[in-house]
Every structure is written in C-alpha cells, then in structure tokens.
Amino acid sequence: MRISDYRLVLGLFLAMVGGYLLNLATMGWLNSFGIIPRSMGGLIGIVSSPFLHASFFHLLGNVMTFVPLAVMTAWTGKRNFEFASLFIIVIGGLLTWLMGRDANHIGASGWIFGLWAFVVTYGIFKRDIKSIVLAILVVVLFTGLPLGLIPRQGISFEGHIFGMIAGFLAARLLIRMNRLE
C-alpha cells in the first residue's frame, strides 16, 4: 500500500473529527442532516451522516473501528476501497432512507459494517491468498461486530444491516467487473 492510500484514510478520519467538532460548535445542529427515512430533507443524510456523530464516544467508537477496517480494505486495492466506500455510503444510506425506522440515523457505522462485509466477501469470492488472509484477519479482529445487527434502542441497526448488505454487493460486483476485464 502506498502512502497516498493512507492519506485517503487519514483524510476521511479527519473529516469525521472535523464534522464532530463543527457539530459541537453548532450545538448539535448539524445532526439534523442525518438520514431521516422517507423524508426529502433526509436524503442529504445519505452522504452527510457518516461524518456526523452524537457524542465524543460515538465518534471514538466509530473511528477506532473505521481506521483499521479502511486500511485493510485499501490493502485489497485503493480503487476497491474507493468504490466500496462510495457504494456502501450511497446504497446502504439509500436503503436506510427507504426502509429505516422513523429516526435520525447518523454515524459511520453503516459504512463500517459495509467495509467488514466487503473484506470478508471479497476474500471468500476472490480466492487469492492475500484476500483470504485479510478476510480471516477482519473476522478475528472484529468478531463482535455482527452483534451490532441486533436491534437496540438508540442504535441504527438498520444502517448496520443495510451497510453490510451494500458491502457484500460491492464486493460481488467488483469481483465480477474484474473478471470481465
């Protein structure tokens, strides 16, 4: 992996921290730009929600998981990371907007669940040593992550589920596209 790949992950990390600090400065006003299902105003949340967090601990939990998963995803290829991230954010967010419960969905956890599913799915279907080792590493390091799919009060489990579905689809699509080249 080249330094520029790490810069992208660092930039996304800084965007999350910056979003939190800006939200703090506006006394939480930016959180109104989360995904609000089936609301036209809530569509903006599809792209803004991964950079909005309700508290410092929400941000901390997300970035501590996001950074290593983003780096591991980038190890499959920078373009894979870029494609997977965009696909997960847009498709996972759109599915949350279409089918999520009536709430304001914020945070990067849908993206995180999507990256987890992407690396695991990519390893299973790509079937090369590097991808398989990465998939095993992700499963071992983030064993408890699928527990986030269990519905709990105040947690956007729908975002988790739809992010995971989008990550699976992104991996399958990328593998198919690469085989056609």
Side-chain angles (χ1 to χ4, degrees):
M1 193 162 126
R2 298 187 324 255
I3 294 294
S4 63
D5 298 336
Y6 291 111
R7 280 193 211 136
L8 176 59
V9 173
L10 177 62
L12 292 167
F13 162 78
L14 291 174
M16 287 181 198
V17 171
Y20 172 74
L21 293 174
L22 193 57
N23 195 30
L24 202 59
T26 62
M27 295 181 280
W29 177 74
L30 291 180
N31 281 346
S32 63
F33 295 99
I35 299 172
I36 302 168
R38 296 163 303 283
S39 156
M40 292 309 288
L43 279 170
I44 189 79
I46 291 171
V47 292
S48 62
S49 65
F51 304 97
L52 302 173
H53 293 86
S55 70
F56 174 74
F57 293 105
H58 183 207
L59 172 70
L60 186 63
N62 273 231
V63 297
M64 285 176 44
T65 310
F66 172 78
V67 170
L69 272 173
V71 168
M72 287 185 235
T73 306
W75 286 344
T76 70
K78 183 181 177 188
R79 287 188 181 180
N80 288 356
F81 172 68
E82 293 168 345
F83 175 82
S85 291
L86 188 60
F87 192 91
I88 292 162
I89 289 169
V90 172
I91 300 302
L94 186 59
L95 289 170
T96 302
W97 184 83
L98 285 169
M99 295 183 269
R101 68 189 140 84
D102 189 23
N104 185 14
H105 302 262
I106 59 170
S109 55
W111 190 3
I112 290 164
F113 275 77
L115 292 176
W116 185 91
F118 176 86
V119 174
V120 172
T121 305
Y122 195 79
I124 291 169
F125 292 101
K126 178 84 164 135
R127 296 187 186 127
D128 66 1
I129 294 295
K130 178 182 168 185
S131 300
I132 292 168
V133 168
L134 273 174
I136 292 169
L137 187 61
V138 163
V139 168
V140 169
L141 290 176
F142 301 99
T143 303
L145 197 80
L147 293 175
L149 300 174
I150 299 169
R152 286 184 290 164
Q153 185 67 25
I155 305 292
S156 177
F157 66 92
E158 305 100 312
H160 298 175
I161 291 167
F162 295 134
M164 193 172 265
I165 289 168
F168 169 82
L169 293 173
R172 295 293 289 155
L173 187 59
L174 259 176
I175 291 167
R176 284 196 179 145
M177 288 181 346
N178 289 338
R179 286 185 182 152
L180 293 174
E181 290 178 354

